[in-house]
Amino acid sequence: MPCEVKPIRYGHSEGHTDVCFHEDGSCIVTCGSDGDVRVWESLDDDDPKSINVGEKAYSLALRNGKLVTAVSNNTVQIHTFPDGDPDGILTRFTTSANHVTFNASGTRVAAGSSDFMVKVVEVTDSSKQKTLRGHDAPVLSVAFDPTDEFLASSSCDGSVAVWSVEDQTRVVNWNVLPKCNDVSNAKSLCRLAWQPPSGKLLAVPVDMSVHLYERKSWTHVGTLSDDLSQVVNVVVWSPCGKFLAAGSVGGILSVWDVEAKLCVERQKHERGYTICGMAWHPSGGQIAFTDTEGCLGLLDGLCASSSSSSSTANKSTKDDDDDDDDLMPATGKPRNRGSFLDDDDNSQDTGSLKVDKLADDDGGSASLRPVVPAVPRPVYEGPMPTPPQKAFQPGSTPAHLMHRFMMWNSVGIVRCYNDEQDNAIDVEFHDTAVHHAMHLTNSLDHCVADLSQEAVLLACEGTDELASKLQCLHFSSWDTNKEWMVDLPKGEDVQALCLGHGWAAVGTSAMLLRIFSIGGVQREIFSLPGPVVCLAGHGEQLLIVYHRGTGFDGDQALGVQLLQLGRKKRQIIHGEPLPLSRKSYLAWMGFSAEGTPCSVDSEGVVRMLNRSVGNTWTPVCNTRESCKSKSDHYWVVGIHENPQQLRCIPCKGSRFPPTLPRPAVSILPFKLPLCQTSTEKGQMELFHWLIETGGEIVWKLSCKLEREFRCVELAEMMTQSVVTLAIRYASRSRRMLLAQRLSELALEKASQLEEEEELDEEPPAGRYSHTSVSWVFPGVSSLVDLPVTHHKGCVAGAGKSTGSPAGQPRVANVLDTMTMSSRKPSALTSSSKQSKAPVLKPLAPKPRSKVQCTDQTRTPEEKRTEKETEKPAVEKTPSAAGDNVENTRPKTGFQMWLEENRKNILADNPDLEETEIIKEAMGRFRTLSAEARLVRSCDERLLITVVVMLCLFCTFRTLKFYSLTVIIVE
C-alpha cells in the first residue's frame, strides 16, 4: 500500500504541540498551548475527549493508564487515563518544564526544565527523585535508555549528555548543537531517541542531519541526511528498531531504513509548518505528527512500503549481481533521492547514510566498506500528485461517526445513530406543516441521504451478498404507496445522491448518473466524465461535481456540470473547472435559497455562480475570518442572497458539529474580498454588488468623494429607484453637474423600461391610480415627470400602469415615471428646435371629461356618446408620434382661464383669428394679479395643482428635492 499523508486537521490553538499513541494504538493523545489534552479515536474524530491540565501544556507522556504532562505553572502533573482525573503533582521546577518521558516499564518519569536541571521521579512515590545537574542552559529534551540504565538529554548550551541514572553522573557529553539562551530561540528542539529494543544506537538531530552514536563506546558511527535542506527538529524510532523517522522545521517527513542505508519515505507537510511532535504507532504502520500551528497529521501506509524496502535492500546486499531496480519500494517510485553505483560492490547510498561502523548484535563493532564518490543519477523533483478527495454528501458529517448528521438543509435534518443500543435514522422537519418527524430503522445500513419537501432519499453500499440499494420515502404522494426501492447492478455502488422537484439523481461508482422520477420511474442514464464527488439539486436544476483529472501539489482538479431538467432539458455549465483555494478540497456544494449554485472549500471560502459574467464563480465570504481560533471552523448549512447571509454552525476545535446537544445556527454576512474595503472608495465599490443583488446603498459616500465620473459609473449599475436617491442627495450636496448627469441617466433607464413594457397595459384595479406632473427645474435640463396620485373615481389623463399586482397599487417614487421629453424650456421661442417640440394648435372648447370626477348617475349611452365626442387638445408632429406626454398632462392655468374668458374676448373683438385670440388672452392674463390667476371658478382642483408646482419650484431653488404625492379627494 502506498504511503500517504492524510489531510491535516486543527487540534489545538496556535503554538507548540506534542503527540503520543496509547500503548495498544487505540487512540492518539495530543496537547497544546491551549492547555488541553485531547484524545482522538482517529484522525477524523470530530468529537475528541478534552482534558484541561493548565494554561499551557508543553509535553506529555502516556503509560500504564497514567498521563503525565509538563505544564506552564512549573509543575509536572499526573492524571488518570482515560478518565482524566487529577492524580497529583510529580515534581516542581523553578521555571517551566519543557519535556517529559516515561521509561520502558512506566515506573519512572524524566523531566527537563528551563532551570538547567533534569529530574527522574518514581511514579508510585514522587518523593523518590534524582536530580541531574550539569547543563548550563535550559534543557530541550530527555530520553530514557530502553534498558533503563542511561538517560540522554539535550540543552540550549549546545551539548548532548548521557547520564547514568543510578550514579547520577554524566557519562559522556557532545557539543554538537548551536547555542542559545532559551528554548524559544533554539533552532531545533533536538528531541533524542534510543533505538529499541536494546538501545544500541542513540539518534541525535544535529542541524540538517541525524547523528547516530553507539552505546557504551559513545562514538559517532553514522549520519543520516537524505540531502536535507532544513533543520531536523524531532526523531523517533519504529517499534521494531529498523526504521528512523525525522521531522524538520520546514515540514519535511523522512523515514530511513538504517540497516539498508536507504531513505524509504519522504513526504512534505501540506502547509509547510514546523513539525514539533512525532509518535510511531505500536504496530509500525502509522506516524502521528503535530506542528507549531496546532495541527494534527498522520503518515499512513508505512508498514507495506517499509517492509518491502527492507527486503529489497537485503536482497541487494546478498546478491551483488542484482541491478538497482531491486531497490525500488512497493510504492512504485524511488524513495531514495541519492545516488547508486550499479557495478561496484563497495557502493553505498552516500546521500542517505554515511556509516563508518555499526555495532553487531552482541555489542561488538564491525568495520564497513569505505565510502566512494557518488555517481549522479536523474531524479524526478517535480510536483507530486494529490490524492483525489472521496465522494461525499453536502450537509453531512463523516460516515465513520456513530452519531452523525446524514443531511442538514433548509427542509430539515436527518440523523443517524449506529451504536450497540440502536441503529436508526431520525428525520426532523424545520416546518412541521411539511411532514411530521419520522423514526426509521436502519436495517440496511444506509450511509447517504437527502431530504426535500417531497421525499426522503436513502442509499446503502453493496456487499458480497447484497447489491447497493436506493430507497425513497415519497411522503408527498397522494396514493397509498409512499415507498419504493431499487437495486443497482452488482458491483455498482451509490456514492452521491440528491433530490429535486419531481426527480431524484444518483451518482455511482461506475461513473454513471441515474435520474429517477420522484415516483421511481427511471428517466435518464448517462456517463460522467470522471468519478463523482457530490451532487446537489434545487427545483429543476442538477449540479454535478466530479474529478476532471489528477491534481498536483495539494490541489484538487474538479469539474462541474449544471443541468436543467425541465420540459426542455439543457446543459448550462459544460464541465468547466470548479475553482478552489490553494491546497484545499471541496467541503460543501449546493444552491442558495434563491437557486444560485454555491460552493465552500476547506479553507472556508464561499463562492457563488455569477451568471452575468459568463458563469464565473465570485467569492462572497470567507468563514475563516470569523473564526476566533485556527482550530475553529464554520459548517455551512444554507446560503441566502436576500438578505446576503450564510446559515452555518460554529465548530470549536473541529470541522463538524456534534449531534447532541443540537447545535445552534449562526448567521454570517457576505463579505466580498475587495481591495481597500476600509476606505470610502472600497466601500462604494462594495455597494455595486449589493445593488445587483437587491441591497440598499448609502449614496452619501459617493458624493463625499471628489470623483464624480466614478459616481456616475456606479450609478449605471443601480436600479432606477436607487438612482432616484442618488439624484436627491447630489442636489442637496450642491453638485449640480453630477445631478444633471444622473438625471440624464435616469431618463435613459426610464426609456429602456418603457420599451420593455406593453404600451396598452391597463391600470390595475385599486384605490389609487397614478399620473405625472411635468416640471423643468433650474440647473437641470431634463424634463422630470413627478408622480401625482388621484383618488379612485377621478380620471386624470391617460397615465399608464406600472404593472404592479392587481389590487396593490405600485408605490410611486420620484423619477419612477420619468420619460424622455424632447421639449426644452426654450422650445416655444427657439426656431432651430421646432421640429422636435410638440406643435401647439388652437384651443377649441371641448368637454372636460378627463379632468372631472365620474358621475355615477350617467347612463352607459351618455358615457359612450361623451367618449366619441372627445378630441385631443394637442397634436404631435410625426417625429413625436407615439409620445402621449402632452395628452397626459393636466391643463395649465392659462388654458383653463382662456376657456372661461374666450366668449368675452370674442365679444370685444369678433374679427380676431385663433392666433390673435391667444395673444390677446395672454396679454390680459399677464395683467392679472397673482391671486386672481389662482382663482378657479370652474374647478377647485386647478388651485391645488398650481400650488404644488410653486412649492416644487421654491423647494428646488433651496436644493431640497422631495417626492410629492398629491391625493385629490373629490
Side-chain angles (χ1 to χ4, degrees), residues 208-263:
M208 291 178 286
S209 62
V210 180
H211 289 188
L212 300 177
Y213 293 90
E214 184 186 18
R215 179 188 179 90
K216 292 190 177 179
S217 67
W218 311 120
T219 56
H220 179 207
V221 295
T223 301
L224 305 176
S225 65
D226 189 34
D227 298 330
L228 292 174
S229 59
Q230 298 169 347
V231 175
V232 178
N233 212 30
V234 56
V235 294
V236 59
W237 288 89
S238 65
C240 64
K242 294 182 178 180
F243 304 99
L244 181 70
S248 69
V249 172
I252 297 295
L253 292 164
S254 302
V255 180
W256 289 275
D257 184 335
V258 179
E259 183 181 358
K261 307 172 293 295
L262 291 176
C263 177

Side-chain angles (χ1 to χ4, degrees), residues 556-577:
Q556 298 288 334
L558 303 182
V560 60
Q561 290 183 354
L562 181 60
L563 306 180
Q564 189 78 22
L565 301 181
R567 293 183 178 179
K568 296 182 179 179
K569 299 179 177 62
R570 61 192 181 97
Q571 191 173 25
I572 301 175
I573 300 180
H574 307 269
E576 299 175 2

